[in-house]
Amino acid sequence: MIASVPRPPVDWFAISPSLILLGVAGACLLFAVLVPENARRMTSAATAAGGFVGAFIAAVLLYDKTPVGTGVIADTVRRDRYFAMAAIILAGVGLVAVLVSYSEREGGHVAEYYALLAASAGG
């Protein structure tokens, strides 16, 4: 019989902005392979922009619902307003980067560019 190992509780809401952006990065990598080349730019840019908007909304909700800082995931991550404010700024800047680069970005590897942009913001 295998003994069960106690697992620390995970506050998924505290890491939701990062999870959203990492999920979008994975989706953009799939678009690089599965979406036809003529629709790849629009699809990946719209997905990345939607991911940054979703991360922005999650970070605003996190800021609103976190009056006092606490440690989550066995105290490896700190859930506080400073983290939420940094996530708000990062999501806003990422959205602006997607909007600016959409008009500038032409040619190949466009979906990989948006995946890299979302993964770097999610990290």
Side-chain angles (χ1 to χ4, degrees), residues 8 23 59 72 75 98:
V72 295
D75 288 334
V98 168

Side-chain angles (χ1 to χ4, degrees), residues 4-65:
S4 65
V5 177
R7 296 183 182 151
V10 176
D11 185 5
W12 295 104
F13 181 57
I15 57 174
S16 62
S18 295
L19 291 177
I20 290 169
L21 290 172
L22 292 175
V24 165
C28 286
L29 284 177
L30 285 174
F31 295 158
V33 177
L34 301 175
V35 174
E37 190 172 346
N38 58 354
R40 194 174 297 158
R41 180 174 168 228
M42 179 62 181
T43 305
S44 55
T47 303
F52 279 112
V53 169
F56 184 85
I57 292 170
V60 167
L61 291 173
L62 186 63
Y63 184 86
D64 184 50
K65 303 288 184 191

Side-chain angles (χ1 to χ4, degrees), residues 89-119:
I89 293 169
L90 194 62
V93 169
L95 180 61
V96 170
V98 168
L99 296 176
V100 168
S101 65
Y102 180 73
S103 62
E104 299 291 325
R105 197 77 186 144
E106 290 288 335
H109 305 294
V110 68
E112 290 91 341
Y113 166 76
Y114 290 114
L116 184 61
L117 186 65

